[in-house]
Amino acid sequence: MKHCSNWDEFQWERELRNHESRIARYFQGLVYCIDLPAEEACADFQIGSAAPSDPVSTRNNNNPALQEWLQEHDSDEEDVESAPERHPSCFAPVDAIDQLAVNWNTIFASRLSGELLADGMGITCAFAQLLARVADFTEPGRDCTPPLLITLGKRSLTDLKELCCRLEFLGTEQPSLLPEITAICARLLLVREQLLSSLNELRASC
């Protein structure tokens, strides 16, 4: 491996930030193009690039170094059956977040005040983002390098903190939900400890 396989955690952090910025610009453009024919293509044109890519999967990434590496390793995908299986290093955080997301969505659908629906949907989306990020961190593919995993671990912790802040804000806006929100945040803090422990172990092994 070369190119992205030699990136450090700071280069991956920069790539992840660029990736999320592309996603934000894409959906900002999509809002204005939603009623037009081929709205997704119009949104692509507005941001001046292809649809947002995923630096973790790297398959459609516009980064030249990543594309060159992928071209050199396309033959790997021709024999998918011989590829090693992906084994999660830890199921607990993913399972816990998934269950907490279910709990939150039940509250969102049945008890959330109508004035707070936008905030509630934001929390649902934040749960989805955290779940995807933690799954990438705890269930790495064969091409994930330690610096990439460290970056994903750090971003998981940041996403978790932002989710807790959203939940705490909603608890102040609708105090009747405070007991349930407090319980969810307490469980998220336990997940944080698990992620932090995994991240420290990963750093120590590098």
Side-chain angles (χ1 to χ4, degrees):
M1 274 190 195
K2 57 182 180 179
H3 301 309
C4 63
S5 63
N6 294 325
W7 285 4
D8 60 27
E9 61 184 273
F10 304 106
Q11 289 170 298
W12 277 117
E13 175 70 24
R14 185 164 53 250
E15 179 63 21
L16 284 172
R17 288 181 183 275
N18 290 338
H19 163 62
E20 291 175 351
S21 178
R22 287 194 296 270
I23 289 178
R25 292 198 305 272
Y26 176 78
F27 283 105
Q28 286 170 0
L30 189 61
V31 170
Y32 297 103
C33 304
I34 199 68
D35 293 326
L36 299 176
E39 67 273 9
E40 292 187 4
C42 294
D44 292 343
F45 177 77
Q46 290 230 351
I47 66 173
S49 65
S53 55
D54 185 350
V56 176
S57 69
T58 71
R59 179 48 50 193
N60 296 313
N61 200 289
N62 293 323
N63 186 287
L66 289 176
Q67 286 299 321
E68 184 175 344
W69 184 88
L70 287 168
Q71 289 172 5
E72 294 174 358
H73 292 76
D74 274 342
S75 59
D76 293 345
E77 295 189 351
E78 295 176 1
D79 190 14
V80 176
E81 294 183 359
S82 65
E85 294 182 7
R86 296 174 63 184
H87 294 288
S89 58
C90 178
F91 278 115
V94 173
D95 288 345
I97 295 167
D98 187 41
Q99 185 57 56
L100 291 172
V102 171
N103 294 347
W104 164 251
N105 286 331
T106 301
I107 296 170
F108 175 48
S110 61
R111 297 180 53 197
L112 190 64
S113 170
E115 297 82 22
L116 298 172
L117 287 181
D119 296 295
M121 183 60 71
I123 290 175
T124 295
C125 293
F127 263 115
Q129 176 173 305
L130 177 62
L131 187 59
R133 190 90 74 186
V134 171
D136 284 335
F137 175 54
T138 61
E139 189 178 348
R142 62 178 180 176
D143 295 330
C144 284
T145 60
L148 173 55
L149 290 176
I150 289 172
T151 301
L152 291 170
K154 292 193 301 184
R155 298 309 296 273
S156 295
L157 293 171
T158 299
D159 290 344
L160 191 150
K161 180 180 179 181
E162 292 176 357
L163 174 57
C164 285
C165 289
R166 286 174 176 267
L167 286 164
E168 289 168 358
F169 169 78
L170 206 61
T172 62
E173 293 296 306
Q174 188 172 339
S176 62
L177 298 181
L178 198 54
E180 290 86 350
I181 286 177
T182 300
I184 291 174
C185 288
R187 185 65 185 90
L188 285 172
L189 289 179
L190 293 178
V191 172
R192 179 186 181 277
E193 294 304 313
Q194 291 176 291
L195 294 175
L196 191 58
S197 176
S198 296
L199 182 59
N200 289 336
E201 289 177 8
L202 182 61
R203 284 187 180 280
S205 67
C206 293

